[in-house]
Amino acid sequence: MMATDSKQPQDESRRRFLKYSGTALGGVVLGGVIGGLIGSNVKQTTKDEEPAAPAPTPTDTKDYNRALMFFSQDQFLTAEAAAERIFPKDDLGPGAKELGAAFFIDHQMASAFGTNARDYMSPPFYKAEASQGYQLTFKRKELMALGLDSLNLYSNSKYQKQFVEITPEEQDAVLTAFEKDDVHLKGVPASTFFSMFQNLTIEGVYSDPLYGGNKNMQGWKMRNYPGNQMSYSNEIEKEEFIKMKPLSLADHLDIG
């Protein structure tokens, strides 16, 4: 009896050990269940706390389409100032600068259009008639860079300041001199540069924003132009004028 009594505390101790170690082993195997229950109990014993509010998502308003691809910084600023004189801001709406026309021109110069990729550009070169259009050895991007640099050279010669530093009236006088061929460029009529720059400015004001200009479709909104609508089938038979919210090509992009 004494021997039996002496073993009982050891048996109880062994049973407790096996019980707790089994729980521990079970916790390893069934950690997802046991751990969840234990974690739940621990949370209940701690002070209730409000769940942390999710961090607000930052609103990124940067327009990544507005980046220089061809112009130097000085050329871009000159183009921006010259475009603003061709299409200035007034009571009807923003001008070429705000609409980003200079970015449009820059992107065009960096494209196949600027390198005359689809034009025959090999010699021999002959003096062309006015009705034959562009017949020069210059690529468009070369003509654009030459013209913008020449705006500054002429401005410095006449006013001792860069084009962007002279008054709007003086800028108009400089552009008029180029338009009338009163300025001599290297191997190209100044009016050829002016005509190309003027056309590109207007295109930048009214092109799809995808190409860098017409920021927020403000150029279209000034003209009540609907932009790139997918269809007019529901409106084409209506007799009254219908004012539609303009849409860009990007508005039809479906990547879902």
Side-chain angles (χ1 to χ4, degrees):
M1 293 296 294
M2 291 297 294
T4 303
D5 292 339
S6 63
K7 291 182 179 180
Q8 186 173 0
Q10 295 179 2
D11 292 341
E12 290 294 333
S13 177
R14 186 181 295 109
R15 281 195 292 270
R16 286 196 300 269
F17 171 78
L18 292 175
K19 177 181 177 181
Y20 296 145
S21 61
T23 302
L25 290 173
V28 173
V29 178
L30 304 174
V33 177
I34 303 292
L37 293 175
I38 294 174
S40 176
N41 292 334
V42 170
K43 289 181 180 179
Q44 291 177 1
T45 59
T46 58
K47 183 179 179 180
D48 292 335
E49 297 179 356
E50 292 291 333
T57 303
T59 54
D60 192 351
T61 58
K62 184 181 293 185
D63 187 350
Y64 291 96
N65 202 28
R66 288 198 161 196
L68 296 183
M69 300 179 181
F70 171 72
F71 287 150
S72 68
Q73 188 70 21
D74 287 341
Q75 289 171 343
F76 171 75
L77 293 175
T78 302
E80 195 174 54
E84 183 67 16
R85 296 313 304 154
I86 292 173
F87 195 93
K89 179 179 181 179
D90 59 18
D91 295 339
L92 298 177
K97 179 178 180 179
E98 187 176 343
L99 292 170
F103 284 104
F104 169 84
I105 299 173
D106 170 78
H107 294 182
Q108 290 298 300
M109 294 303 101
S111 71
F113 174 81
T115 60
N116 295 71
R118 298 185 179 181
D119 298 337
Y120 182 81
M121 298 292 292
S122 298
F125 299 101
Y126 300 101
K127 185 176 180 179
E129 299 296 330
S131 60
Q132 292 180 299
Y134 188 86
Q135 298 287 327
L136 299 172
T137 61
F138 285 98
K139 294 179 180 178
R140 292 186 184 93
K141 67 176 184 178
E142 295 170 342
L143 176 58
M144 180 61 63
L146 173 64
L148 292 174
D149 292 342
S150 297
L151 283 178
N152 279 318
L153 289 173
Y154 184 81
S155 178
N156 275 317
S157 174
K158 190 173 180 64
Y159 301 106
Q160 292 74 53
K161 294 179 180 178
Q162 294 284 92
F163 183 83
V164 297
E165 298 172 338
I166 60 180
T167 65
E169 293 75 20
E170 291 170 340
Q171 290 175 342
D172 290 345
V174 171
L175 291 172
T176 300
F178 276 70
E179 183 181 18
K180 293 183 176 180
D181 277 328
D182 294 338
V183 182
H184 298 284
L185 300 187
K186 182 181 179 181
V188 57
S191 59
T192 302
F193 159 73
F194 176 83
S195 178
M196 182 178 73
F197 185 84
Q198 183 184 46
N199 290 337
L200 286 170
T201 296
I202 302 303
E203 290 174 14
V205 167
Y206 294 119
S207 66
D208 192 285
L210 173 69
Y211 301 104
N214 191 14
K215 184 174 177 61
N216 296 327
M217 295 181 282
Q218 288 296 319
W220 290 346
K221 292 175 183 177
M222 285 190 290
R223 297 284 186 174
N224 288 324
Y225 179 67
N228 291 299
Q229 302 287 333
M230 292 295 290
S231 172
Y232 297 96
S233 58
N234 294 330
E235 294 82 14
I236 197 169
E237 298 294 336
K238 297 179 181 179
E239 295 184 0
E240 71 274 15
F241 177 78
I242 301 174
K243 187 175 180 180
M244 306 175 69
K245 178 181 177 181
L247 296 178
S248 167
L249 289 170
D251 293 321
H252 305 301
L253 180 64
D254 184 8
I255 58 176

